[in-house]
Amino acid sequence: MDRTLRRKIQQSGKFRQLTSERSRFGRGLSLVMVAVYYSFIFAVALFPQAVGAPLWDGAAVTVGFPLGVGVILIAFALTGIYVQRANGHYDRLTRDIIEEAKP
């Protein structure tokens, strides 16, 4: 990509909008994931009896297992949310930026 085209794209208002929105959205999803993960870790550290309790009498599976699976599922869900947003909104903005930058 030549310097003129790169400079034109970087000075575009839509490019600034894209980078700002994408960064803000990514940070928000990251904060949610960090909160979920550390909540799980703190629950294990602060309430080991509750997290280590069996799900039912005689069960080998503890309360912590579905909580851990939940953390993993939330990570997949947040990834899906980001991909959906990227494939829709961000791709549209990218196409607009490219169209405006073409000579």
Side-chain angles (χ1 to χ4, degrees), residues 2-91:
D2 71 17
R3 289 178 190 215
T4 309
L5 182 59
R6 182 179 302 147
R7 193 169 297 127
K8 187 175 181 181
I9 289 172
Q10 289 173 341
Q11 292 173 350
S12 165
K14 285 187 179 182
F15 178 74
R16 283 189 228 115
Q17 175 189 359
L18 172 66
T19 56
S20 172
E21 284 183 21
R22 193 177 57 196
S23 295
R24 190 171 48 248
F25 190 64
R27 280 192 304 267
L29 291 177
S30 295
L31 285 174
V32 169
M33 191 63 232
V34 166
V36 167
Y37 177 76
Y38 279 105
S39 296
F40 176 71
I41 296 301
F42 284 136
V44 170
L46 300 175
F47 309 106
Q49 296 83 12
V51 176
L55 281 176
W56 59 86
D57 288 336
V61 178
T62 66
V63 172
F65 183 77
L67 290 177
V69 170
V71 170
I72 294 168
L73 293 177
I74 289 171
F76 278 112
L78 292 175
T79 301
I81 290 168
Y82 183 83
V83 167
Q84 182 179 8
R85 177 98 179 218
N87 288 341
H89 182 66
Y90 299 148
D91 280 356

